[in-house]
Amino acid sequence: MSIVVTGATGHLGRHVVEQLLEKVPAEQITAVVRDEAKAADFAARGVALAVADYDRPETFDGLFAAGDKVLLISGNEFDKGRVRQHEVVIDAAKAAGVALLAYTSAPRSLKAALADDHRATEEVLLASGLPYSLLRNGWYHENYTENLGPVLEHNAVVAAAGEGRVSSASRADYAAAAVAVLTGEGHENTTYELGGDEAWSFAEYAAELSRQTGKEVVYNAVSGEVLKGILTGAGLPEPLVELFVGVDASIEKGELVVTTGDLSRLAGRPTTPLADAVTTAIKG
């Protein structure tokens, strides 16, 4: 039996593999990658590598074995038909008879277009009859803290989210939940709504940046149309612009507040505070 992680060299995938290495022998882990060179560090530590591409279904033939536990990390190629890509993995997992397929989805409360592919993938997974675990990941701290350059340059957090709040957590937190499901028992046919312990507003985020940088960082709440113009002017493609503006509208409505406590329960510890993520980003 292997624990198989797709997208293993991505931001979340790396955290998952690193945390798995702390819990199970390396030879029980298979990292699915498109570029073997990017996973050389995992291979050097004894992790098995499988080279496969969502857009080439034949590369998944025989990749899984009966009894495997699989983590399908949702793809990030929004323009390539993610549901079809995910279906390739689900079909291969079903053909092999895996013991569990966990999928990183989005919170049930999120109605933005970003969630459409996740809902459709969930439907495909449930229809497959595979034992499943839906890991409905909320927002990541890093969605904001990894892009501090422009914020600190202009001393402003700009969003079209009004006074909405976000229950974000770190990628490492979400990885810990996935690892708990992949290495634990009794997670077949489960759904987890995952989010950080503390929800925050953009005004609070700006205040935290001010506190840690010694600068006066303000929250500039703008309309969706204004944000669209800013992002378009920054050179983002239209589909991504629409996605980001849609997410901010959802935040204003409270759709990224998750209060279940599932994430800290699965991780076995409190989730990482936003302030810690800010500290890490500033030091980095």
Side-chain angles (χ1 to χ4, degrees):
M1 188 277 282
S2 281
I3 296 175
V4 187
V5 181
T6 73
T9 54
H11 289 306
L12 180 62
R14 280 201 161 273
H15 280 289
V16 171
V17 175
E18 288 290 350
Q19 292 187 36
L20 280 171
L21 283 165
E22 295 171 9
K23 292 208 165 189
V24 300
E27 58 268 22
Q28 288 182 19
I29 306 167
T30 299
V32 182
V33 299
R34 276 192 286 203
D35 183 350
E36 211 168 345
K38 288 184 179 174
D41 56 324
F42 290 151
R45 291 156 74 185
V47 174
L49 301 186
V51 180
D53 187 327
Y54 295 144
D55 294 319
R56 293 168 53 220
E58 70 278 4
T59 59
F60 280 90
D61 291 348
L63 196 155
F64 305 120
D68 284 354
K69 290 184 177 180
V70 178
L71 176 64
L72 170 54
I73 295 180
S74 56
N76 60 3
E77 296 176 314
F78 300 101
D79 56 340
K80 281 200 172 182
R82 292 196 297 167
V83 180
R84 181 185 51 76
Q85 291 181 329
H86 298 157
E87 198 165 359
V88 165
V89 180
I90 293 167
D91 288 348
K94 182 179 181 180
V98 306
L100 180 74
L101 192 145
Y103 171 66
T104 61
S105 190
R108 181 174 53 86
S109 53
L110 183 64
K111 304 293 188 280
L114 176 70
D116 293 349
D117 287 351
H118 291 301
R119 298 290 161 259
T121 299
E122 287 184 4
E123 288 176 14
V124 172
L125 178 51
L126 267 59
S128 75
L130 280 169
Y132 67 86
S133 184
L134 300 179
L135 304 174
R136 289 180 170 162
N137 288 358
W139 224 221
Y140 301 126
H141 292 331
E142 292 90 346
N143 289 346
Y144 302 105
T145 60
E146 281 186 351
N147 301 296
L148 282 182
V151 174
L152 299 181
E153 185 185 334
H154 299 288
N155 293 327
V157 172
V158 180
E163 295 177 12
R165 303 181 77 78
V166 183
S167 302
S168 65
S170 70
R171 288 195 188 108
D173 293 336
Y174 291 107
V179 168
V181 166
L182 293 167
T183 59
E185 299 298 327
H187 295 287
E188 294 80 7
N189 305 328
T190 53
T191 301
Y192 297 108
E193 299 288 339
L194 304 174
D197 295 336
E198 299 289 335
W200 50 269
S201 70
F202 285 91
E204 290 167 350
Y205 174 47
E208 184 60 35
L209 288 170
S210 298
R211 187 180 73 79
Q212 293 203 32
T213 62
K215 299 178 172 186
E216 188 183 349
V217 180
V218 298
Y219 170 40
N220 186 4
V222 299
S223 68
E225 281 305 310
V226 168
L227 182 62
K228 203 177 288 187
I230 292 169
L231 296 176
T232 303
L236 267 67
E238 189 183 345
L240 266 187
V241 169
E242 295 292 341
L243 211 68
F244 289 141
V245 172
V247 166
D248 274 13
S250 286
I251 289 172
E252 185 167 23
K253 295 174 192 164
E255 293 175 12
L256 275 174
V257 173
V258 178
T259 58
T260 60
D262 284 352
L263 182 52
S264 52
R265 260 197 304 277
L266 282 173
R269 56 169 173 74
T271 59
T272 306
L274 178 66
D276 289 10
V278 169
T279 302
T280 301
I282 290 171
K283 280 181 183 169

